[in-house]
Amino acid sequence: MDAKKLHELGDDLFTKKSALNSLHQEIAQNFYPERADFTVQRSLGMDFASDLMTSYPILCRRKLGNAFGTMLRPVAPAA
């Protein structure tokens, strides 16, 4: 496979992935705005969570992450 064909293949795959990136961006803006950088590039001072009406989805994501951390943490041996 030559370089031109490889470049065209890469462009085609990135084009197909753009719809999925848009979906990931929408989900991340609701549940994890700190990491919502799939389709936008934020600069310093940009307000990243101004479109949220409530913090409930963010709190749910944090509780779920904490629950996974608790379940995956090894049990301390009895002393």
Side-chain angles (χ1 to χ4, degrees):
M1 185 178 286
D2 62 337
K4 185 176 180 182
K5 192 86 160 163
L6 190 61
H7 186 268
E8 289 172 359
L9 178 64
D11 285 343
D12 184 47
L13 291 173
F14 274 108
T15 302
K16 289 179 181 177
K17 191 175 182 287
S18 67
L20 184 62
N21 280 343
S22 295
L23 173 66
H24 289 163
Q25 179 69 29
E26 287 294 321
I27 293 170
Q29 282 177 344
N30 283 318
F31 294 101
Y32 205 2
E34 300 91 31
R35 298 289 305 267
D37 55 2
F38 290 96
T39 60
V40 294
Q41 231 177 22
R42 285 184 269 130
S43 58
L44 195 61
M46 194 170 164
D47 195 11
F48 64 89
S50 63
D51 57 337
L52 292 178
M53 296 294 193
T54 178
S55 63
Y56 185 71
I58 297 170
L59 294 174
C60 288
R61 187 221 31 102
R62 185 170 46 185
K63 284 182 182 180
L64 180 65
N66 289 341
F68 285 147
T70 302
M71 288 185 275
L72 296 174
R73 196 170 297 125
V75 179

